[in-house]
Amino acid sequence: MTSPTSAEDFSDDIDDLLDDSADVVGDVQTLATTIDADSNDLGDRLDRVLAGHFPDLSRARLQALISEGRLSFQGKVISDGKHKAKAGDYSLIIPAPTNATPEPQDLPLEILFEDEHLIVVNKPVGMAAHPAPGTRDGTLVNALLYHCGDSLSGIGGVLRPGIVHRLDKDTSGILVAAKSDVVHRALSELFARHDIDREYRAIVRGSPKYMTGTVTTRLGRSHHDRKKMAVLRAGGREAITHYRLEEVYGDDKPLAALLTCRLETGRTHQIRVHMAHLGCPCLGDPVYGSGAPAKEVQVILKELDFNRQALHAGLLGFVHPVTGEKLKFKAPLPDDMQELVDALADMN
C-alpha cells in the first residue's frame, strides 16, 4: 500500500527544483541564526522555531527551502523541518530572485492532442520544460505561450504556466499542459492520486536480475550534493517504480537492456535514481550513471555520439477532467534511442 498523497505534495514535486526553473535576476542570499543552549525553543519543531528567527519568510516558504536542502546545521544539510531544534548555528540559503515572465516563442511543437482545456505534446530531446539558469528561452513554456496565447498565461504559476508535470531537458516524451486553473488543479489531483498512466522506456547498463520488479524507496535531496536526488534511509518521500524487462543485449552476459518503467509516484529524477539504485543506470546519464558500461557499449555510444540519459516518456493516459473521456497517448522512441537499440541488438 502506498501512503496517500495530496495535490499539495504533488505540487512540491514540481517545485523541488525551483532554483533551476527560471532566469536569475538577482543574488543568492544566506541567512544565519544561532539557537542558544538555554533557549526555550530547544526540542520544538525546527521549522516552527526558525519561522520566528526569519520573520520575513512565511512558514510555507521556509518549509519549501528546507525540503530543497537549503538549510544546514553546523555545516550539515537538514532537509526535514520536522527535526527538533538543537542548540547551534543554522544557515539558510535563499535562491536568487527570478524573472517571472517567460516570453512567447514560435517554436515547433509535436501536438498529440489539443482542445480548449488542455494540450498534450511530445517533447523533443534537448528542450527544457521551462526556463532556467543557462536556458533562458527555447523551452516548452516559451512554445506553449506562443501557441496557446493569453489563455495559458499564469495558469499554474507564471514561471511554468500550464505545466502540470515535468521532464528533464534531455528526457524526451509526452507532457500534458493545462489551459485553465480549474483543469490545472484537476490534473494535479489526478497525478497526486496516481490516476495517471505513465510509462517510460529506459536503456540501461547491464540488466536487472528479474524480468519484472518494483523499486520502493524514499527519495530526497542528496546530503552530499544538493543538485542531485538520492535514495534516503529516512526523510524524503516514498517513490515507487515498476519495471519490466523487454530486451537484453550481449552474447555471453547482459551488457545493456531495454526496460519499460511505470511510475506509481512522480518524484524528481525518480527513474534515473531507481535504475542507478538497481545497479543499472540509464546509459548516457551524466548525473546518475556512475561506472562505465562495457567496452562494446562504450564504442556504440561514441559512434552514435549518444551523450544523454537514454530515457523516453512513451505513454501517458488519463481521464479528461472536463469531458470524462479516457485518453491515452503513445510516442515511439526518438531517433537517437531507436538507433541505440538497433546498434545494441546487433551485438546479440
Side-chain angles (χ1 to χ4, degrees):
M1 292 288 291
T2 61
S3 57
T5 308
S6 69
E8 182 179 357
D9 290 332
F10 178 77
S11 178
D12 288 343
D13 292 335
I14 297 299
D15 291 338
D16 60 6
L17 292 180
L18 184 58
D19 56 306
D20 299 327
S21 65
D23 298 328
V24 175
V25 295
D27 297 324
V28 174
Q29 293 180 313
T30 300
L31 304 180
T33 190
T34 300
I35 297 179
D36 297 326
D38 59 353
S39 172
N40 293 329
D41 291 331
L42 296 182
D44 200 355
R45 270 184 59 140
L46 183 58
D47 55 0
R48 185 179 298 118
V49 172
L50 291 180
H53 285 248
F54 303 130
D56 291 337
L57 297 176
S58 69
R59 190 171 169 192
R61 175 62 170 149
L62 182 60
Q63 289 172 337
L65 291 170
I66 293 173
S67 70
E68 292 168 9
R70 298 187 180 278
L71 177 70
S72 60
F73 171 68
Q74 306 287 91
K76 183 179 179 180
V77 172
I78 295 177
S79 58
D80 189 349
K82 295 179 182 178
H83 282 213
K84 302 300 182 182
K86 298 179 181 180
D89 297 326
Y90 290 86
S91 178
L92 182 68
I93 298 174
I94 310 296
T98 56
N99 186 341
T101 312
E103 295 296 324
Q105 286 182 288
D106 185 6
L107 303 171
L109 281 175
E110 183 181 347
I111 299 172
L112 305 181
F113 175 86
E114 182 178 14
D115 64 10
E116 61 185 302
H117 307 291
L118 54 86
I119 181 171
V120 180
V121 301
N122 183 19
K123 186 188 80 67
V125 175
M127 175 181 273
H130 42 66
T135 310
R136 294 178 176 272
D137 52 21
T139 72
L140 180 62
V141 161
N142 298 112
L144 289 175
L145 285 172
Y146 181 90
H147 177 81
C148 299
D150 294 338
S151 66
L152 198 71
S153 298
I155 302 302
V158 290
L159 291 177
R160 285 148 290 177
I163 298 295
V164 181
H165 59 130
R166 70 187 296 273
L167 294 176
D168 297 322
K169 179 178 180 180
D170 288 331
T171 297
S172 55
I174 306 173
L175 275 169
V176 58
K179 292 186 177 182
S180 71
D181 281 321
V182 171
V183 173
H184 190 277
R185 287 195 297 269
L187 286 172
S188 295
E189 289 170 1
L190 287 178
F191 276 91
R193 296 197 306 267
H194 314 312
D195 285 341
I196 299 279
D197 292 329
R198 283 179 289 173
E199 286 189 357
Y200 289 66
R201 288 296 182 97
I203 308 172
V204 302
R205 186 187 75 204
S207 175
K209 183 177 180 180
Y210 302 105
M211 292 291 295
T212 62
T214 298
V215 185
T216 302
T217 69
R218 301 197 70 81
L219 291 187
R221 292 283 177 177
S222 168
H223 297 313
H224 306 289
D225 184 346
R226 190 189 58 78
K227 293 183 178 181
K228 294 178 63 175
M229 307 302 288
V231 171
L232 304 178
R233 293 184 178 180
R237 295 190 179 92
E238 185 179 48
I240 303 173
T241 303
H242 307 282
Y243 71 84
R244 181 176 69 249
L245 185 59
E246 303 290 356
E247 299 285 348
V248 177
Y249 308 109
D251 272 338
D252 300 327
K253 62 179 181 179
L255 304 182
L258 174 65
L259 305 180
T260 294
C261 299
R262 182 170 62 83
L263 288 181
E264 189 165 321
T265 58
R267 312 309 182 195
T268 299
H269 298 174
Q270 178 173 318
I271 292 176
R272 297 168 64 187
V273 177
H274 274 174
M275 293 302 100
H277 183 64
L278 285 179
C280 304
C282 294
L283 289 180
D285 194 325
V287 178
Y288 302 104
S290 59
K295 289 184 179 180
E296 300 94 323
V297 178
Q298 291 184 52
V299 170
I300 290 173
L301 293 173
K302 185 176 181 179
E303 288 179 347
L304 296 177
D305 194 25
F306 193 97
N307 51 18
R308 58 102 169 181
Q309 62 266 12
L311 186 62
H312 172 68
L315 183 147
L316 181 68
F318 57 92
V319 175
H320 195 295
V322 176
T323 68
E325 180 183 1
K326 292 183 179 179
L327 303 174
K328 182 170 287 189
F329 307 97
K330 294 182 179 181
L333 289 178
D335 291 343
D336 64 339
M337 281 185 66
Q338 187 59 56
E339 290 174 354
L340 180 56
V341 164
D342 293 342
L344 292 170
D346 288 339
M347 296 192 306
N348 292 346

